[in-house]
Amino acid sequence: MAALSEFSLIKTYFNQAAPEGYLGIGDDCAVFGVQPGYQLAVSTDILIEGRHFFSDVDPYQLGHKALAVNLSDLAAMGAKPIGCVLALALPSVQDNWLKAFSSGFYALAQQAQCPLLGGDTTRSQSEITLTVTVFGEVPITQALRRDVARVGDDIWLTGTLGAPDLALRYLNGTLALDAQRLAASRPLLEQPTPPIHFAPQLLGYAHAGIDISDGLLQDLGHVLTASHCGAQLDWGSLPMHEALQGLNPHLQQQCVLAGGDVFQLCFTAPAPYRAYFLELAAQCNIQLSRIGQVTTQQTGLVVYHQGQKLNLPQQAGFDHFLS
């Protein structure tokens, strides 16, 4: 295959038509609107080879994850996706890699109804760098903000915890390889599925929300700090992924409480809506767990197991400049 220029690369791999009413790829800017009575929600994430993903990752899964981590931020606010842009820096043009990457990206974009509307491509010196910006819409004043949790709220969590961190430990060699456990946990690290259709239906019922990207304790801690509250969690109610069953309890607690790359939704809400949330989760085929309760600030964040307080991990989650 002949070498591709920047513009022929875009035309070959990233030129699907924008939906009616959108001005997408082919102009200097994408042009689109939001419905009357709605606000625009925007989020950007960067993925860097060697920092956020391994060099041998399946490019189809990487295309999926590049968009998924951003859609997770929209879900955290209860926003409905309406479009995205992609900036892609590559050390070289590899046809098979680009075909697989763009296929994974577009497959999730179609599922989420989040069309690719533009972006940029360039040559990098060595590593692949991916930057995705997503746009969503949310009714005015109804977004699931971090600073509106209330004392007495239930704390809910979609999906499971611990598997991505366990897979990362096997892949980076900090844990002796267990091929069976790696096979069970790796898909959740490399192809996460945030609750993009479930989250917007929480508006008007839930209070605060956040996505679990850097660890449950750290991310929930952001909500509690912003809302001037504390929390009590029940270890037995935390949805630990089956790949962690039978492991050392200390390792389980590290993965479940401080492990990142989960990209699931944690939200708080009044107790009277419990039945609604469970019914909604069943309709959306989402695993949903009630894991604790918001308390007064003085109690801090406490995790109980069979009536006893757990000693929490010293590092509550991932930090780009400390890890």
Side-chain angles (χ1 to χ4, degrees):
M1 183 176 181
L4 293 177
S5 69
E6 175 186 357
F7 304 105
S8 58
L9 184 156
I10 294 170
K11 185 177 180 179
T12 301
Y13 301 108
F14 300 103
N15 197 33
Q16 290 191 11
E20 184 178 355
Y22 288 70
L23 181 62
I25 296 169
D27 279 87
D28 290 297
C29 292
V31 179
F32 58 95
V34 297
Q35 300 178 70
Y38 283 69
Q39 293 175 298
L40 185 66
V42 183
S43 181
T44 298
D45 271 297
I46 302 172
L47 298 181
I48 302 173
E49 181 182 359
R51 181 62 173 171
H52 301 99
F53 61 91
F54 293 98
S55 299
D56 63 349
V57 67
D58 181 332
Y60 182 95
Q61 293 181 329
L62 181 60
H64 173 105
K65 186 171 183 176
L67 180 56
V69 301
N70 288 269
L71 293 174
S72 183
D73 287 329
L74 291 184
M77 306 291 288
K80 178 182 176 182
I82 57 175
C84 63
V85 294
L86 166 67
L88 180 61
L90 300 169
S92 62
V93 175
Q94 298 181 31
D95 180 59
N96 290 338
W97 190 95
L98 281 163
K99 281 183 180 178
F101 175 86
S102 59
S103 294
F105 192 98
Y106 274 121
L108 182 56
Q110 182 176 9
Q111 177 188 344
Q113 297 180 314
C114 185
L116 179 63
L117 302 174
D120 191 23
T121 59
T122 189
R123 183 186 296 274
S124 65
Q125 293 297 316
S126 54
E127 297 86 5
I128 297 170
T129 301
L130 312 166
T131 303
V132 176
T133 300
V134 289
F135 307 96
E137 60 181 14
V138 62
I140 294 172
T141 74
Q142 291 192 34
L144 302 178
R145 293 165 39 167
R146 298 182 182 185
D147 62 350
V148 290
R150 300 175 186 172
V151 173
D153 275 359
D154 290 329
I155 302 173
W156 296 86
L157 185 75
T158 65
T160 61
L161 295 167
D165 189 63
L166 181 66
L168 181 61
R169 290 168 185 264
Y170 288 134
L171 292 170
N172 65 18
T174 59
L175 196 62
L177 180 62
D178 182 320
Q180 186 173 357
R181 292 185 190 273
L182 176 59
S185 58
R186 189 170 185 172
L188 282 88
L189 172 67
E190 297 181 340
Q191 199 167 354
T193 54
I196 51 179
H197 299 301
F198 171 80
Q201 299 182 73
L202 300 177
L203 299 182
Y205 300 93
H207 287 154
I210 194 168
D211 77 320
I212 306 302
S213 54
D214 296 321
L216 175 63
L217 294 183
Q218 178 166 294
D219 291 323
L220 177 56
H222 294 323
V223 171
L224 301 176
T225 298
S227 299
H228 307 290
C229 296
Q232 293 181 0
L233 303 182
D234 174 27
W235 171 259
S237 298
L238 296 179
M240 181 170 62
H241 190 270
E242 60 183 7
L244 282 78
Q245 297 293 338
L247 291 176
N248 178 283
H250 176 72
L251 177 59
Q252 289 179 338
Q253 292 170 20
Q254 288 283 335
C255 293
V256 168
L257 297 175
D261 276 303
V262 176
F263 301 109
Q264 292 294 328
L265 173 63
C266 181
F267 66 95
T268 78
Y273 297 129
R274 289 174 182 175
Y276 169 75
F277 295 138
L278 293 172
E279 181 180 353
L280 178 62
Q283 292 173 357
C284 295
N285 197 28
I286 292 290
Q287 181 173 339
L288 181 65
S289 305
R290 182 161 54 92
I291 63 173
Q293 189 174 56
V294 178
T295 61
T296 61
Q297 185 179 22
Q298 286 73 21
T299 62
L301 200 169
V302 183
V303 182
Y304 285 98
H305 179 45
Q306 297 178 346
Q308 301 294 319
K309 289 184 181 180
L310 289 181
N311 293 320
L312 302 182
Q314 290 186 346
Q315 185 169 336
F318 181 76
D319 186 301
H320 287 277
F321 294 98
L322 297 178
S323 301

